Amino acid sequence: MREGPLKTKAQAVLAFLGACGLEVPADVRERVLASTDLGGLHRWSRRDAV
């Protein structure tokens, strides 16, 4: 099961956005946390870092 890595990566994406001072709307937060696409979360985290 990949639930652990998915949850960890989703939380990291949201934490990074928050650290950058960006407010994440509730619907987007829910979408990120519900994601089952680890590759997509990796892409989001790489885009966030740019």
Side-chain angles (χ1 to χ4, degrees), residues 1-47:
M1 172 164 284
R2 294 168 28 145
E3 185 176 312
L6 284 168
K7 183 176 180 180
T8 300
K9 181 56 82 171
Q11 290 173 336
V13 167
L14 295 172
F16 184 83
L17 293 172
C20 289
L22 298 172
E23 188 172 327
V24 180
D27 62 324
V28 173
R29 176 177 294 281
E30 288 175 24
R31 229 176 85 210
V32 171
L33 291 172
S35 177
T36 58
D37 179 10
L38 189 57
L41 290 169
H42 281 299
R43 284 188 297 279
W44 283 349
S45 65
R46 283 194 304 271
R47 268 188 256 152

